[in-house]
Amino acid sequence: MIVLRSVLFNLVFYVNLILQMIVFTPAYFLMSRKKAWFVPKNWARSNHWLFKKIVGTTFEIEGLENIPKSGYIFAPKHQSFWDVYALLPWLNDPFFILKRELTWIPLFGWYVRKQRMVPVNRAARGRAMTEVMDRTKQEMASGRELIIYPEGTRRPPGAPPHYKYGIARLYRDLNVPVVPVAMHPGLFWPRRKFLRFPGHFKVRVLPPIEAGLDPDEFLARLIEVTETASDELLIETVRNNPHLPLPPTAKQRLAELKAMGRG
């Protein structure tokens, strides 16, 4: 049943994406930029409904009161494609720094450009990167929230932390709070696999790390608070979903936590 449900969900997920982009495209490009956020946020909500009805996967969010009203960096763990869209309905006016090639994709790239995402040429140096930072500062000055994945790429649940120093530079240069987010959607929507697993998990939004710390001190605190919450949620999620097939990284981390008396 898991295989059948996974195949059905994956099919319906992409059909839903294509249909919503086609149906809502006229309204999206006629509305003001901020009002047009209704379209991707509605798509995210519909995916949550599909995930629940087809696969049987649900989630809850703790700590929404920790999200500032504007002008901050949102820094979630990154394990799955789920992370890319799932929390958009709870954010006001977010934006990403993304590789410029994504803006070249027909229709999708038009959506991205309307929302003033900040494209970056990863091969560029010097002036090009300065322009990216200038654009980012302009968007932040208007009260928007920047979504950054501190580890840069998707990591399997329980994997050792591998945070990039780039978020510390952004924290220093933008001089805004950073909101860490711990979660384990990768246990239910694994990276690089088509299988989707039923169950329930939590997303934990942690108190913001205020602006003004030394970048090294900030990064150490970000890793500490995020990984502590991540370990707690890993233990809780596995305990509450004993049917889950765990990746080797999760099994290894659970064994380590048990040896430390935390399992």
Side-chain angles (χ1 to χ4, degrees):
M1 285 301 293
I2 287 178
V3 173
L4 291 175
R5 287 173 181 265
S6 298
V7 170
L8 179 59
F9 174 77
N10 289 325
L11 175 62
V12 175
F13 176 84
Y14 289 106
V15 169
N16 181 45
L17 170 62
I18 295 168
L19 287 178
Q20 289 213 29
M21 290 186 76
I22 293 172
V23 170
F24 286 113
T25 287
Y28 182 81
F29 289 102
L30 288 173
M31 287 189 288
S32 66
R33 186 191 63 78
K34 289 190 70 172
K35 288 184 178 179
W37 261 117
F38 162 78
V39 176
K41 290 181 179 182
N42 180 72
W43 173 67
R45 292 187 186 97
S46 66
N47 288 332
H48 296 328
W49 185 85
L50 292 171
F51 207 17
K52 177 181 179 179
K53 295 300 181 180
I54 298 176
V55 181
T57 309
T58 58
F59 69 96
E60 61 184 291
I61 304 177
E62 298 178 341
L64 286 173
E65 69 278 3
N66 291 322
I67 298 180
K69 292 187 177 180
S70 64
Y72 60 94
I73 297 173
F74 196 68
K77 292 283 285 184
H78 192 23
Q79 298 179 348
S80 164
F81 185 72
W82 187 91
D83 317 338
V84 176
Y85 70 83
L87 301 181
L88 292 178
W90 290 273
L91 302 178
N92 179 36
D93 188 17
F95 73 102
F96 293 87
I97 299 174
L98 43 74
K99 56 184 181 181
R100 63 175 181 170
E101 289 81 3
L102 292 175
T103 66
W104 301 343
I105 300 174
L107 197 56
F108 175 81
W110 307 341
Y111 271 69
V112 166
R113 286 197 293 270
K114 181 176 176 71
Q115 288 301 335
R116 296 207 310 257
M117 305 299 175
V118 178
V120 58
N121 179 1
R122 292 185 175 183
R125 294 291 185 272
R127 182 177 177 181
M129 297 308 296
T130 299
E131 290 175 353
V132 168
M133 181 55 68
D134 288 343
R135 275 284 315 278
T136 302
K137 288 180 177 179
Q138 290 173 13
E139 299 301 332
M140 295 295 293
S142 65
R144 302 185 71 183
E145 51 267 33
L146 171 62
I147 300 176
I148 285 287
Y149 303 108
E151 294 177 276
T153 188
R154 290 175 297 171
R155 303 272 290 164
H162 189 62
Y163 288 62
K164 307 294 186 182
Y165 199 76
I167 191 170
R169 295 191 184 97
L170 284 167
Y171 167 81
R172 176 197 63 200
D173 295 343
L174 296 174
N175 194 34
V176 295
V178 171
V179 179
V181 183
M183 54 187 176
H184 288 291
L187 292 172
F188 303 86
W189 184 323
R191 64 175 194 157
R192 302 172 188 164
K193 294 183 179 179
F194 83 94
L195 290 177
R196 308 288 178 258
F197 299 103
H200 181 79
F201 65 95
K202 291 181 179 178
V203 175
R204 184 168 296 168
V205 180
L206 303 169
I209 301 173
E210 296 300 328
L213 296 178
D214 173 82
D216 292 333
E217 181 184 356
F218 155 76
L219 187 59
R221 183 177 299 184
L222 174 67
I223 295 172
E224 178 187 7
V225 299
T226 305
E227 293 304 311
T228 297
S230 185
D231 285 340
E232 293 171 354
L233 288 179
L234 180 61
I235 295 169
E236 180 179 339
T237 304
V238 172
R239 181 185 297 131
N240 294 336
N241 298 273
H243 63 283
L244 283 174
L246 301 179
T249 49
K251 292 179 181 178
Q252 176 64 31
R253 185 56 182 162
L254 287 168
E256 293 170 354
L257 292 170
K258 186 175 183 179
M260 296 163 56
R262 295 176 56 192

